[in-house]
Amino acid sequence: MKVEFGLSNVHVGSYTVGEDGEVTMGTPMHIPGAVGLTLEEESELYQFFADDGAYYSEYTGASETGELTMALFPDDFKTQFLGYVKTDDGGVAKVKGAKKTPIYIVFEGQTDDKRRRHILYNVTCGSITREYATVEDQPEVMTDVLGITVVGDSKTGIVKATYKEGDTGYAGLITAPTAPALPTDDSGDDGQETQGV
């Protein structure tokens, strides 16, 4: 693989953590109209000084923040995950202070020779922002932008994972993703890449 491009096949589902730390992955919902996804790691530099200089230093990674941009988030997504409610007269209303549901996000990208699928674990959502503008000679398509924070799985520490075609978990990642798990043997190769997203 030289480069990866494209964004498609976005699916989301609930990400529920039990008292024992075990994760339940809800049924994925397809959201059509993927436009863009940006993520940036929130890391901090830790340094220890000795002998009049930097004796030890490392970056400690925590969560990742970014934005998921879609042509339009469907009403079902808003009511199921963002705390919107359907009103008696048929509207969909945003409720101040509504509790939002943690989610996972699955999406697909295209490399030079094959498709890859990515999953982000334990994602918290902000609010949807959208611009409105009058229609001119050449109408500009407006998009929905959702702020997200990828917290990652508290039990395993896994934040995201990448699968390529042929990996065991590739086919089911969109239809029935499994909870994050660390390798159970010393081979270090379980068909799952944990970088490259």
Side-chain angles (χ1 to χ4, degrees), residues 104-183:
Y104 63 86
I105 301 175
V106 176
F107 61 96
E108 208 167 84
Q110 176 71 44
T111 66
D112 294 345
D113 56 353
K114 62 185 65 175
R115 301 194 72 82
R116 286 154 52 102
R117 289 177 177 172
H118 310 279
I119 183 167
L120 310 176
Y121 296 106
N122 196 9
V123 179
T124 58
C125 299
S127 298
I128 295 174
T129 59
R130 185 177 185 84
E131 292 184 8
Y132 296 89
T134 187
V135 177
E136 301 178 358
D137 293 340
Q138 295 182 341
E140 180 182 354
V141 177
M142 300 299 175
T143 56
D144 281 353
V145 180
L146 177 68
I148 60 173
T149 298
V150 186
V151 178
D153 181 57
S154 58
K155 187 174 183 179
T156 63
I158 297 176
V159 176
K160 56 190 176 184
T162 298
Y163 296 81
K164 61 184 181 300
E165 288 178 296
D167 288 342
T168 305
Y170 180 88
L173 194 64
I174 285 178
T175 57
T178 57
L182 293 171

Side-chain angles (χ1 to χ4, degrees), residues 58-134:
E58 70 171 342
Y59 278 96
T60 56
S63 59
E64 297 189 5
T65 60
E67 295 178 336
L68 175 61
T69 304
M70 307 294 294
L72 185 70
F73 283 98
D75 291 343
D76 286 347
F77 172 82
K78 295 176 182 178
T79 57
Q80 188 168 338
F81 302 113
L82 300 185
Y84 284 58
V85 297
K86 291 186 177 179
T87 61
D88 292 339
D89 58 359
V92 176
K94 180 179 179 180
V95 180
K96 182 171 61 176
K99 186 176 179 181
K100 298 171 183 175
T101 302
I103 62 174
Y104 63 86
I105 301 175
V106 176
F107 61 96
E108 208 167 84
Q110 176 71 44
T111 66
D112 294 345
D113 56 353
K114 62 185 65 175
R115 301 194 72 82
R116 286 154 52 102
R117 289 177 177 172
H118 310 279
I119 183 167
L120 310 176
Y121 296 106
N122 196 9
V123 179
T124 58
C125 299
S127 298
I128 295 174
T129 59
R130 185 177 185 84
E131 292 184 8
Y132 296 89
T134 187

